[in-house]
Amino acid sequence: MNLRRTLNVTRKELVDGFRDRRALYTILFSTLVGPMVVGLMFSKTAGQEKAAQEIQVPVVGREHAPLLISWLEQQEGVQLTQGPAGAEEAVRESVVDMVLVIEKDFGEKFRDSRPAPVKVVSDATRNSARSKVRKLNGLLGRFSNETGSLRLMARGVNPVVASALKVEQVEVSSAQQRVGMMLGFIPMFLLVATFSAGMQIATDSTAGERERGSLEPLLLNPIPRWQLLAGKWLAAALSSFGGMMGTLLVTAFVMSRLSLEDIGIRLQLGGTQMLLMVAAMWPMALIAPAIQMYLACYARSFKEAQGYMAFLVFAATAPGVLTTFYPASSMPWMRWLPIQGQYIMGTEILSGKAPSVVLLVTTALVAMAVAAFFLHLATRMFSSEKIIFGR
């Protein structure tokens, strides 16, 4: 085995690949798009939750419920203002986020110990107002429970008798495990970056050279076909691994700059978790370019090969959907599947659970076997005359 020939091919493909701006843009896009989406999403959510700590409540008919108004004014972070005449129209036109409407017969029914009517006018499709409406509804529920308890006590009845059940919620999962479930899209972004970052080199070094007619003189060189394919695959694998690492580092940087505590998330993504994530995800840098190169052998042009690659990128997002319907905890064998296993291990690492060394080594060996299989198929394609004369 002449390793120098393979490395020469790898160096040549890396130089040619990174000369192409399309390759650079693809790697840059695949590296940044996931973390930026995560950052914007959590930043917006945290801002909404923080804004809900101090809310302004426009009130219509406040003169009908002086006790309720006084109670609301005493609550921390609540400011009451005069509500608009047309409450529903004002909310519909986004003049205000919500309006508390107190009906005229509130006082009469309240004095008679009957349910006193109030309305909370809101728009459920407006994300910015959702947390504010939830806080207002919670305050109204508290006022109702406290008033009901006082009424029972005034009649000599212990308020406890109104509760037929005492339900105690026992949560066996840790806070870190719940965070891992919420952040399951991070491993998905890593998988997408792995497939996208090496796609340009994998397709251009096969279908692209076939389209340009430069593949025939390349195959005339005295180098075994499998070494030629191995060099091209190694270049694409390095690009895939670089894209995955870039996405992971940018994600960690973005998450460290967000105020996740405002939305009840405490994420621990330190050095140990980062190393474990790399150990779990790097095998995909072997599989992705091998499959891409094999499929690109069937394409007569670079554009046609890109159409095939779209299905592979979609496959990188499939584990998140599949895990929703088929929980990995009930199907341990799913951890051994390529792509699916990497996604499961990534979510478990975010949950604070480190995968075993046996699992990491086994999944890496499975990935090597799958990559070798597709490289063997691609080598057979390069040994066929169709790869040159089938344009």
Side-chain angles (χ1 to χ4, degrees):
M1 175 180 178
N2 194 336
L3 184 60
R4 183 183 302 176
R5 294 176 177 176
T6 301
L7 295 179
N8 286 338
V9 175
T10 301
R11 183 172 59 254
K12 176 259 183 187
E13 295 297 342
L14 286 174
V15 171
D16 291 346
F18 288 109
R19 278 178 184 165
D20 189 354
R21 291 185 178 180
R22 292 178 301 180
L24 296 176
Y25 291 155
T26 300
I27 296 175
L28 186 63
F29 178 78
S30 62
T31 300
L32 296 179
V33 64
M36 297 307 296
V37 169
V38 172
L40 290 175
M41 181 180 66
F42 277 103
S43 178
K44 186 68 174 178
T45 304
Q48 293 174 1
E49 292 295 331
K50 191 173 183 179
Q53 296 177 4
E54 296 184 0
I55 62 174
Q56 286 189 351
V57 183
V59 182
V60 175
R62 58 189 302 163
E63 66 277 5
H64 305 309
L67 184 62
L68 173 60
I69 296 299
S70 177
W71 186 88
L72 287 174
E73 290 177 337
Q74 296 174 18
Q75 305 307 307
E76 183 179 359
V78 178
Q79 180 183 358
L80 303 183
T81 60
Q82 182 61 39
E88 295 184 8
E89 186 67 21
V91 173
R92 188 179 296 111
E93 298 297 330
S94 300
V95 178
V96 292
D97 291 328
M98 58 187 174
V99 179
L100 175 61
V101 179
I102 303 175
E103 303 293 346
K104 294 181 179 180
D105 56 347
F106 180 94
E108 178 184 352
K109 292 185 177 180
F110 189 82
R111 287 189 297 269
D112 295 339
S113 298
R114 291 184 293 165
V118 296
K119 293 180 181 178
V120 178
V121 183
S122 63
D123 186 351
T125 62
R126 196 181 310 166
N127 294 330
S128 59
R130 195 170 298 162
S131 55
K132 301 178 183 179
V133 174
R134 185 168 59 247
K135 180 173 181 177
L136 177 58
N137 287 328
L139 291 172
L140 294 176
R142 278 180 51 198
F143 177 82
S144 177
N145 293 335
E146 291 178 9
T147 303
S149 298
L150 292 174
R151 288 174 177 175
L152 291 175
M153 293 173 63
R155 289 164 173 76
V157 179
N158 190 338
V160 176
V161 301
S163 301
L165 296 176
K166 181 181 179 181
V167 180
E168 181 180 359
Q169 300 290 343
V170 180
E171 179 59 61
V172 297
S173 63
S174 64
Q176 187 70 19
Q177 289 176 324
R178 293 191 293 274
V179 168
M181 181 184 66
M182 295 174 59
L183 301 180
F185 50 79
I186 292 180
M188 184 182 69
F189 284 142
L190 295 177
L191 290 173
V192 171
T194 304
F195 274 89
S196 301
M199 180 174 61
Q200 190 76 15
I201 294 179
T203 53
D204 186 69
S205 63
T206 49
E209 291 193 0
R210 182 183 184 185
E211 180 183 15
R212 294 189 296 269
S214 59
L215 185 61
E216 182 176 1
L218 180 64
L219 294 178
L220 293 177
N221 287 284
I223 176 174
R225 300 294 168 86
W226 70 268
Q227 289 188 11
L228 182 64
L229 263 295
K232 294 175 178 290
W233 164 80
L234 183 57
L238 290 174
S239 180
S240 294
F241 181 78
M244 184 267 291
M245 285 296 300
T247 300
L248 181 60
L249 293 174
V250 175
T251 300
F253 175 79
V254 170
M255 299 299 283
S256 66
R257 294 298 185 272
L258 296 177
S259 300
L260 299 178
E261 292 79 8
D262 293 335
I263 54 177
I265 294 180
R266 293 184 179 180
L267 176 63
Q268 297 179 359
L269 197 58
T272 303
Q273 286 76 19
M274 295 279 285
L275 290 176
L276 287 174
M277 192 69 75
V278 173
M281 292 293 174
W282 78 270
M284 290 311 305
L286 306 180
I287 296 178
I291 298 177
Q292 290 167 344
M293 290 178 62
Y294 172 66
L295 292 179
C297 290
Y298 287 95
R300 293 181 175 86
S301 65
F302 179 81
K303 187 175 182 179
E304 181 183 350
Q306 283 185 316
Y308 298 157
M309 300 305 112
F311 294 100
L312 290 179
V313 176
F314 172 77
T317 65
V321 179
L322 185 61
T323 306
T324 303
F325 298 100
Y326 301 96
S329 58
S330 60
M331 297 183 179
W333 57 270
M334 296 179 69
R335 289 178 170 83
W336 307 97
L337 297 179
I339 304 178
Q340 183 68 35
Q342 275 67 41
Y343 174 83
I344 294 173
M345 285 191 292
T347 55
E348 290 181 347
I349 292 169
L350 292 174
S351 301
K353 181 180 179 181
S356 65
V357 177
V358 174
L359 181 60
L360 291 174
V361 173
T362 304
T363 53
L365 292 176
V366 171
M368 293 178 184
V370 173
F373 173 73
F374 280 99
L375 282 176
H376 171 69
L377 296 179
T379 302
R380 293 182 59 182
M381 291 290 295
F382 264 60
S383 301
S384 173
E385 294 181 354
K386 294 181 179 180
I387 197 70
I388 299 175
F389 302 108
R391 295 197 301 270

